[in-house]
Amino acid sequence: MNPITAVERTVVPAREARAVRVPQGRRVSVVDLEGGQVGDVFAFAADDVTEHLSASHTRSATNRLFPAVGERFFTDRRRPILTLVSDTSPGRHDMLIAACDPERYAALGAQPSHASCASNLHRALASMGLALPFTPQPVNVFMRIPVDEEGRLDWLPAVSRPGDAITFRADMDCVLVVSACPQDLVDINGGVPTSLAIDVLPESD
């Protein structure tokens, strides 16, 4: 079998999600194409998508609220699924906030048709013939949610720049889903959601 020598890019249109399969050992990047866009990243064991990247299990393993280069992400069965290997962005990412969903937008006064990361996730999985009865908490790349000394959260615009990328290595065969977050009622995307890209990097890279 010939090695993969070119980047396999999947564009994630604004307000939508895409799913890709990532073999163990390959690296995959989430790229902010225009800057200032949050991406909800979900990862699942390729042979059983009920095993998923778990922010809470990852926090207990790393003793950190937020991701850092060199650290692993763990599943709900406490197995490593991804390692954060590089980050060209300012390094602001979130592991506290649930995926936006229709109920969240209803509470914010949006129309029932408003896109959401939860709905995007399930559509992206369905495109691969997969289904899940729940929505895991994502890793929200480029999302800036600082915690103050009294434990309050602030929702700030993403500061990622055009072309900034966060890169993971797959620690098992996995399915990665990225949603270009459609949030336009809270200012995390500067009010105007834009596109992301998923780059599965060459085997020789």
Side-chain angles (χ1 to χ4, degrees):
M1 181 179 297
N2 293 328
I4 304 299
T5 59
V7 173
E8 301 169 9
R9 168 160 286 192
T10 300
V11 173
V12 184
R15 305 175 188 269
E16 297 183 17
R18 295 292 185 269
V20 299
R21 293 186 181 274
V22 186
Q24 183 177 7
R26 290 284 293 279
R27 288 184 290 166
V28 58
S29 297
V30 180
V31 185
D32 190 347
L33 296 177
E34 299 182 42
Q37 173 63 40
V38 168
D40 284 36
V41 175
F42 306 86
F44 306 89
D47 59 354
D48 179 2
V49 295
T50 64
E51 181 177 6
H52 59 88
L53 187 160
S54 167
S56 59
H57 290 80
T58 298
R59 291 194 302 267
S60 67
T62 62
N63 297 314
R64 292 181 55 86
L65 286 177
F66 305 117
V69 171
E71 293 187 344
R72 283 176 153 180
F73 297 85
F74 292 83
T75 73
D76 57 313
R77 301 176 195 175
R78 300 191 187 275
R79 295 200 300 159
I81 186 168
L82 298 173
T83 297
L84 177 51
V85 295
S86 68
D87 184 4
T88 65
S89 80
R92 302 294 185 92
H93 312 288
D94 169 73
M95 288 199 303
L96 299 176
I97 303 301
C100 58
D101 52 29
E103 294 76 16
R104 168 70 162 153
Y105 287 110
L108 292 172
Q111 295 297 314
S113 59
H114 198 291
S116 73
C117 288
S119 298
N120 286 348
L121 164 68
H122 295 288
R123 278 194 294 271
L125 288 174
S127 74
M128 303 185 82
L130 301 170
L132 198 66
F134 56 89
T135 302
Q137 181 185 334
V139 174
N140 299 301
V141 298
F142 312 128
M143 187 171 178
R144 197 158 54 119
I145 307 289
V147 182
D148 71 16
E149 291 182 357
E150 296 182 2
R152 287 189 293 262
L153 306 178
D154 203 357
W155 298 70
L156 302 178
V159 292
S160 46
R161 302 151 300 206
D164 276 350
I166 181 169
T167 302
F168 308 93
R169 183 184 65 247
D171 292 326
M172 64 172 70
D173 291 345
C174 63
V175 174
L176 190 84
V177 178
V178 177
S179 175
C181 183
Q183 179 60 264
D184 53 8
L185 302 176
V186 175
D187 200 28
I188 60 169
N189 294 315
V192 183
T194 56
S195 299
L196 300 171
I198 308 168
D199 288 347
V200 179
L201 303 180
E203 291 178 357
S204 57
D205 187 38

